Amino acid sequence: MNRKDFLKKGLLGTGMFVASASLGNTMQNEIDEIEPLEPIGYNHLPNTDSKIKENSVIHKADSRGKADHGWLLSQHTFSFANYYNPERMHFGVLRVLNDDRVEAGRGFGTHPHDNMEIISIPLEGDLEHKDSMGNTAIIKSGDIQVMSAGTGIMHSEFNKNSDQLVKFLQIWVYPKKRNVTPRYDQITLDKTKNQNQFQQILSPNADDEGVWIHQDAWFHLGTFDQNREINYQIRKKGNGVYAFILKGSAEMEGQLVEERDGFGVWDIKDLNIKTIEENTEILLMEVPMTM
């Protein structure tokens, strides 16, 4: 996909545009969100001068794309909207990892999505969600929200409060089945379950712990003391794992990974992690590397 097509895609397919809490803009989605990147491949490979092993990649926090709209500060690990890097389109089926900060009383007007699994992880503040399925909800730190866009949905997201920021992660994962019936779900996590261990927050199984999506992916969150050693076992052969450090720092497979860095690794059976700082918080996203 060339830059012109990507920009058209970023402006229409993501439906990301400025709106205030009193304005609900709508936009027709005429571009299929999954089609431009088929087939999924190893687009996540590091540059040739990288000193990282051939089966891993490091994305430093300061190398991310940045969009500052005043009301919205968004940092993109992968190409998104006006940020286009042909070497950073996705990690396997993990398509979007946005680190967003929304000013008080502002947000995303009503916009469309289709054929994408969309996960929101609030980090601070209250985010109000409304969608075309009739759902109205508030999500905050400790909650996990998921939408299967499927055949198509419209939704909006706003900072509920007039006196504080909202910070959240927006994550998109390609589904393994297209044109499913749209669905919405959210849960509140028991944070005692992620102290010095990884708590499962997402899986492919509706009866398992956490929310579920239409993909063979598993997400885990954990907050760890200094110098903790953790071993994460890959759930499905052929999957890779992408780690995102929310706070603190850790060593993963010999690589230093610091706050807001991303580290992806594939062709492994397990991932060895040693935390460096106290209260290091890690999000692990295990995903298929191909469609």
Side-chain angles (χ1 to χ4, degrees):
M1 180 171 57
N2 62 34
R3 180 170 175 80
K4 180 179 178 181
D5 290 340
F6 180 82
L7 288 174
K8 183 180 179 185
K9 173 74 183 144
L11 293 172
L12 292 178
T14 66
M16 186 177 135
F17 44 83
V18 180
S20 68
S22 63
L23 180 63
N25 292 329
T26 61
M27 180 176 283
Q28 181 71 29
N29 185 13
E30 298 176 347
I31 299 177
D32 189 315
E33 288 178 334
I34 198 170
E35 191 173 31
L37 288 178
E38 289 187 308
I40 299 298
Y42 285 80
N43 178 259
H44 52 277
L45 291 175
N47 293 327
T48 54
D49 59 353
S50 172
K51 304 218 183 324
I52 307 304
K53 297 175 184 176
E54 291 183 358
N55 68 323
S56 61
V57 64
I58 181 76
H59 295 140
K60 301 300 290 182
D62 61 5
S63 74
R64 295 178 295 173
K66 184 176 180 180
D68 189 346
H69 300 284
W71 66 276
L72 168 69
L73 176 62
S74 184
Q75 301 200 70
H76 314 313
T77 295
F78 304 105
S79 294
F80 187 85
N82 288 325
Y83 169 59
Y84 176 71
N85 182 341
E87 294 184 355
R88 286 173 64 164
M89 298 300 295
H90 55 89
F91 179 85
V93 301
L94 175 61
R95 174 62 187 89
V96 168
L97 174 54
N98 287 352
D99 189 358
D100 289 348
R101 186 188 75 183
V102 181
E103 292 292 334
R106 306 300 294 273
F108 303 88
T110 304
H111 58 278
H113 295 286
D114 63 76
N115 285 311
M116 195 68 73
E117 303 294 299
I118 301 172
I119 302 101
S120 295
I121 303 179
L123 305 175
E124 184 180 312
D126 302 317
L127 189 67
E128 182 176 16
H129 164 94
K130 294 182 180 179
D131 63 45
S132 55
M133 294 177 283
N135 297 298
T136 299
I138 305 295
I139 57 172
K140 55 189 175 182
S141 178
D143 294 341
I144 304 294
Q145 178 199 75
V146 64
M147 291 190 300
S148 296
T151 55
I153 59 169
M154 304 285 289
H155 81 127
S156 63
E157 296 168 297
F158 289 99
N159 185 337
K160 175 70 174 175
N161 299 306
S162 59
D163 58 350
Q164 61 179 308
L165 291 170
V166 157
K167 298 179 182 179
F168 73 106
L169 300 181
Q170 182 180 166
I171 301 165
W172 294 9
V173 174
Y174 288 105
K176 63 181 179 181
K177 184 178 180 181
R178 290 170 52 83
N179 297 325
V180 299
T181 300
R183 56 178 286 271
Y184 174 89
D185 194 15
Q186 73 178 76
I187 61 170
T188 298
L189 300 173
D190 179 354
K191 290 190 174 182
T192 64
K193 293 184 177 181
N194 67 17
Q195 297 300 309
N196 288 314
Q197 61 183 340
F198 280 116
Q199 177 185 16
Q200 182 175 289
I201 64 171
L202 177 147
S203 79
N205 189 347
D207 298 322
D208 210 349
E209 187 176 6
V211 295
W212 67 277
I213 63 172
H214 295 279
Q215 186 53 271
D216 294 325
W218 286 262
F219 286 14
H220 289 78
L221 269 175
T223 301
F224 301 93
D225 295 337
Q226 187 177 27
N227 295 323
R228 283 276 177 167
E229 295 188 13
I230 315 104
N231 178 266
Y232 175 79
Q233 299 284 325
I234 297 295
R235 301 302 193 262
K236 184 177 179 180
K237 185 178 180 180
N239 278 5
V241 61
Y242 193 89
F244 187 69
I245 303 291
L246 291 166
K247 186 187 301 183
S249 59
E251 184 179 281
M252 301 184 185
E253 301 295 321
Q255 171 67 48
L256 173 64
V257 189
E258 299 174 290
E259 188 165 315
R260 267 25 187 206
D261 289 352
F263 177 71
V265 61
W266 57 97
D267 291 339
I268 58 169
K269 294 182 179 179
D270 58 3
L271 175 65
N272 294 306
I273 302 169
K274 182 178 180 180
T275 59
I276 297 173
E277 297 180 51
E278 188 73 12
N279 295 320
T280 291
E281 190 172 354
I282 304 171
L283 170 64
L284 288 186
M285 295 167 279
E286 178 186 332
V287 296
M289 298 311 294
T290 58
M291 292 288 279

